Structures are given as C-alpha cells and as structure tokens.
Amino acid sequence: MLRGGPCGAHWRPALALALLGLATTLGASPTSGQRWPVPYKRFSFRPKTDPYCQAKYTFCPTGSPIPVMKDNDIIEVLRLQAPIWEFKYGDLLGHFKLMHDAVGFRSTLTGKNYTIEWYELFQLGNCTFPHLRPDMSAPFWCNQGAACFFEGIDDKHWKENGTLSLVATISGNTFNKVAEWVKQDNETGIYYETWTVRASPGKGAQTWFESYDCSNFVLRTYKKLAEFGTEFKKIETNYTKIFLYSGEPIYLGNETSIFGPKGNKTLALAIKKFYGPFKPYLSTKDFLLNFLKIFDTVIIHREFYLFYNFEYWFLPMKPPFVKITYKETPLPTRHTTFTDL
C-alpha cells in the first residue's frame, strides 16, 4: 500500500464540519431507526476476484467437494482450534489467545476424516485494511472470505497447541443437510469482517457491528446442527474476538457517494489519511512512525473509519478502544437457536 499523508490536525476542523453536515442532513440522530447490530449483508452470488488481489498463501490448496454420506452413517463432529498462523509462528500467538477455529467430521462407516474451515482468501491484513492505489480515487479492498472443505484432519496441528475434541454425533442424513446449508451460506456470505464493535466491555452493552470470521462460521454451523436436532456435549468452548469500543456510529455513505465525482472531498481525504498508516511496513522505523500515527488518530483523537457491507461508518472511539478477548460461547441446546450471527 502507499503511504498516506501526514496525520496532522489541520484537516480535522473541516472534517468535524463535514460530519456535522452529515448529521444535520440525516437528522438530529444520524442513525435514527437504525437496527443494531447492523445486519451482515448477504449477496446473490460470489463475484470473481480481482487479479490485483494476490494471496501470499494459496487459499484452500487441498480443497475437495463435500461428499454425500449414507443416511445411516454415524458422523462424529469435532471442535478444532489452534493458534493462528501456527505454521509460521508455532504456538506464539496462542499465548495471546489468538486462535483459529474449524469443524471436523469423522465417518464411522468409512473411517474417513474431513475438515471444514472459513477464512480469508487474501490473508487477514487485506480483509481488514484497504490498498491506496494511485490510479484510484477510493480505497481498494481485497476482501473475501470463504469455506474450505478437504479430506483429512491434521491431528498434530490441532492437538499440539490447541483443541481437538468431540462435541456431538450426527447421522449421515444430518451431515448432508448441513453440507447443503454450507454451500448456500458460502455463496451468499462473501466478505470477512475482523472487528466486533460495541459501546463498552460491560455485560449487556450495545453491539454496533458483529464480526464475520472463522469462529462466527463455526458458531453458525453449530447453530444449524442444533436446528437439525443435534444434541451437543456439555463442554466449554471459548473463542477469540477482537473488539473496538465506540459511541453510536455515524453512517457516512458508500464508495460512490464519498469518492465519486459528486462526493465529499473532505471526508474522502480523511478516510484515505486514516487508512494510510495501516500499510505493511518496510522497516522498524516505518512501523514505529505509522504506529504513532495510528495511536494519535484512534486513541488521542478517538477516530476510526469502519468499512462494513461495502459502506463507510465513523466510529467515535472511547476507552478501552481495542481489546482482544477469549471467552466462552456455550454450545447450543437441541431445538434452541441463537439470535442471528
């Protein structure tokens, strides 16, 4: 990504006026009547990826079609969890409870094992922050996530620094129904969302935006299994979440309304300045300088721009600003469903 302009304060008064103008245009409460959390947008099909977006690590290199199981097969459902990027850093990130989640299946009829996981096509950084391309007026996003199904379970990978445990048993018929749901879910839920945005860390605090990541996929899969009558074991299941904390978000608009010919130039500049320091760093000095810019914007000036459902939102940040948690989300009970994830 290209370096953004310096995060000086000279453009902030103009930005404040621009945001005030938006609030005035939209009414006293810019999100009056807004449903919280903002529902994750579903699509009718998965678009082709742009050639500009290149993955450092190939997505789903050993992927295979989901098999059709015999109705009378007994399938073990396995909870799989390990530190993210374990292949590169070992259990280092596990000490910070940064975990990746997946689901395993084991057929008792054939003895075959299968893994299904949901993750980014172009790595986490590309899904969280955009590229600032000199040939484009708007930030360019390489953000897609998808399910990957393949035969086999890497027992060592999951057991050594994480979890491989039985959570339920299902019939082959139930597996086939879940497989059909996975295909539909995968075609309509196409982009990754790193952040969960809440009003505060306190119990019962308002959630503004939900994440859409590997753990969310696992929770949706468990929910669907419960709807099909699956009974889960009573074991503790914890998940990693990355939180941002803010006051009520302000809706800003989409790419055309902000960056188009009739867009808001002050707001467009502010958004690009915000994302500039999040580019990959080339040296320790580069990292430190950009970190200071990010600290100044997010912590000192309490500003964050969120891209969600292909639209931009302004988050008036507040303490503790950012937090990583590793807490339990209980397994669902039979015939009981969660609220939409």
Side-chain angles (χ1 to χ4, degrees), residues 187-229:
E187 284 299 303
T188 60
I190 65 171
Y191 71 93
Y192 189 100
E193 179 52 53
T194 303
W195 313 105
T196 298
V197 186
R198 301 189 77 198
S200 75
K203 186 176 181 180
Q206 178 66 61
T207 298
W208 307 119
F209 301 92
E210 292 277 12
S211 60
Y212 199 87
D213 54 12
C214 62
S215 64
N216 186 280
F217 172 76
V218 169
L219 290 168
R220 292 199 313 280
T221 303
Y222 290 162
K223 171 191 173 184
K224 189 56 62 173
L225 285 167
E227 289 177 6
F228 291 144

Side-chain angles (χ1 to χ4, degrees), residues 265-284:
K265 292 183 179 180
T266 301
L267 184 57
L269 177 62
I271 292 173
K272 293 177 79 170
K273 281 180 176 290
F274 171 78
Y275 283 124
F278 289 98
K279 66 181 180 63
Y281 61 90
L282 302 176
S283 65
T284 302

Side-chain angles (χ1 to χ4, degrees), residues 45-51 121-122 144:
F45 66 95
R46 179 175 291 276
K48 290 183 178 180
T49 59
D50 192 293
L121 269 64
F122 307 110
Q144 278 202 48

Side-chain angles (χ1 to χ4, degrees), residues 115-290:
T115 301
I116 187 166
E117 53 189 346
W118 197 95
Y119 64 101
E120 326 87 65
L121 269 64
F122 307 110
Q123 280 73 65
L124 182 61
N126 281 318
C127 291
T128 309
F129 303 108
H131 294 255
L132 300 181
R133 297 173 58 177
D135 57 330
M136 292 187 172
S137 60
F140 182 82
W141 292 85
C142 290
N143 183 358
Q144 278 202 48
C148 173
F149 182 92
F150 57 93
E151 185 174 339
I153 294 176
D154 186 348
D155 287 27
K156 182 180 178 182
H157 167 69
W158 301 107
K159 285 182 177 179
E160 199 168 66
N161 300 304
T163 300
L164 190 160
S165 58
L166 179 69
V167 294
T169 56
I170 60 175
S171 68
N173 181 55
T174 297
F175 175 90
N176 294 334
K177 288 193 287 186
V178 169
E180 286 302 311
W181 167 80
V182 166
K183 294 172 186 175
Q184 183 272 335
D185 181 81
N186 195 47
E187 284 299 303
T188 60
I190 65 171
Y191 71 93
Y192 189 100
E193 179 52 53
T194 303
W195 313 105
T196 298
V197 186
R198 301 189 77 198
S200 75
K203 186 176 181 180
Q206 178 66 61
T207 298
W208 307 119
F209 301 92
E210 292 277 12
S211 60
Y212 199 87
D213 54 12
C214 62
S215 64
N216 186 280
F217 172 76
V218 169
L219 290 168
R220 292 199 313 280
T221 303
Y222 290 162
K223 171 191 173 184
K224 189 56 62 173
L225 285 167
E227 289 177 6
F228 291 144
T230 300
E231 188 167 345
F232 287 89
K233 293 181 175 293
K234 298 188 185 305
I235 61 173
E236 184 175 333
T237 51
N238 296 299
Y239 302 92
T240 299
K241 279 190 175 292
I242 306 177
F243 289 94
L244 298 177
Y245 298 102
S246 84
E248 184 170 326
I250 298 173
Y251 175 74
L252 301 177
N254 59 26
E255 181 178 308
T256 301
S257 66
I258 297 172
F259 299 95
K262 298 181 180 180
N264 186 321
K265 292 183 179 180
T266 301
L267 184 57
L269 177 62
I271 292 173
K272 293 177 79 170
K273 281 180 176 290
F274 171 78
Y275 283 124
F278 289 98
K279 66 181 180 63
Y281 61 90
L282 302 176
S283 65
T284 302
K285 180 182 178 182
D286 191 37
F287 166 75
L288 292 173
L289 287 174
N290 283 311

Side-chain angles (χ1 to χ4, degrees), residues 326-338:
Y326 183 71
K327 293 184 177 180
E328 181 181 16
T329 299
L331 289 163
T333 55
R334 192 174 184 175
H335 302 306
T336 300
T337 60
F338 300 137

